[in-house]
Amino acid sequence: MSADPTQVLAFETDCHIFSGCGFPAPGLHSFLFEPLWGDADSNLYFNKPMLLALLGSIIIVGFFWAAFRKPKIVPGKLQMVAEAGYDFIRRGIVYETIGKREGEKYVPLVVSLFFFVWMMNLWSIIPVAQFPVTSIIAYPIVLAAIVYIVWVSLTFKRHGFVGAFKNITGYDKSLGPVLPLAMTIELFSNLLVRPFTHAVRLFANMFAGHTLLLLFTIASWYLLNGIGFAYAGVSFVMTIVMTAFELFIQALQAYVFVLLTCTYIQGALAKHH
């Protein structure tokens, strides 16, 4: 094995079973990348996940620009695909959760979040890239922070300070003596736990999925030696199965992320009784 695990993505290519080296299991080193530009020690650098995030953003903007720059009454294939995706988020998530009248203004935000998260997840199964950007906790944290800021600011804008406080703490005078405890729990849950779980849910699923893909991929290569060939085939089949499953999870996690976003916005807009 190389002395510096960040020099390789997953494993050494000359390491096989019965060749005198142990199984190069994936770990945290599989999520560390040497800077493509800059110096890691100075915290001013540009690495592979950053490059994928930038390319993903360009791809999304380029796709929608190409689809809608010259919209037609009878849409072409590209415009049809873009409209289907946009309409699915608008009607299937935003309208269903927030309502058509209140939700229309938030459609651009939710659509942008969905396709950005989905694209960042998709990098995991795209050849050469093969890494989900959202498995780096910083990216889900920033996305969750954007939603958090929108939710809190909207709550105070809609209800004022007192109304927002009641909204966030779940104030209900019918609770009687347990009201202070219930309000404390709700305040802690909404202001601290909610943004944390919003980010970690996406991060943990992508981190775990990528680790499993690495595990079976590395095992397939590692077992290609002697009697291990028989087991390598099984591991390769599992790699294919996990890739297909991961494709489903990637879309599902993008859906869940924006569904929760709409739920938070709906809660901010709801009248407190």
Side-chain angles (χ1 to χ4, degrees), residues 47-166:
N47 61 12
K48 180 178 178 178
M50 296 177 184
L51 175 62
L52 294 179
L54 178 61
L55 289 176
S57 301
I58 293 173
I59 289 172
I60 295 169
V61 172
F63 169 74
F64 281 102
W65 179 81
F68 294 122
R69 66 189 180 93
K70 293 182 179 180
K72 300 177 181 178
I73 297 177
V74 180
K77 294 181 179 179
L78 192 62
Q79 183 181 335
M80 187 180 298
V81 171
E83 285 182 353
Y86 185 89
D87 208 45
F88 168 74
I89 303 302
R90 182 177 63 175
R91 296 181 182 277
I93 300 179
V94 179
Y95 285 3
E96 289 294 324
T97 307
I98 305 175
K100 183 176 181 180
R101 186 175 66 85
E102 291 276 20
E104 187 64 44
K105 67 179 70 174
Y106 302 103
V107 171
L109 170 65
V110 178
V111 170
S112 299
L113 283 173
F114 176 83
F115 283 99
F116 180 79
V117 172
W118 192 19
M119 186 69 239
M120 296 306 101
N121 295 347
L122 276 175
W123 283 124
S124 175
I125 60 171
I126 296 177
V128 181
Q130 296 175 304
F131 185 80
V133 177
T134 44
S135 66
I136 302 295
I137 186 64
Y139 293 91
I141 283 178
V142 170
L143 294 174
I146 292 172
V147 175
Y148 179 79
I149 291 171
V150 170
W151 166 62
V152 173
S153 61
L154 185 60
T155 302
F156 279 90
K157 181 180 179 181
R158 175 59 65 95
H159 303 287
F161 182 81
V162 175
F165 180 76
K166 290 181 177 180

Side-chain angles (χ1 to χ4, degrees), residues 6 18 20 23 35 44 57 63 66 75 78 149 201 223 225 230 234 247 253 259 264 267:
T6 63
F18 309 127
F23 177 64
L44 184 62
S57 301
F63 169 74
L78 192 62
I149 291 171
R201 181 182 287 104
L223 294 170
N225 190 16
V234 177
L247 185 62
Q253 286 305 310
L259 180 63
Y264 299 157

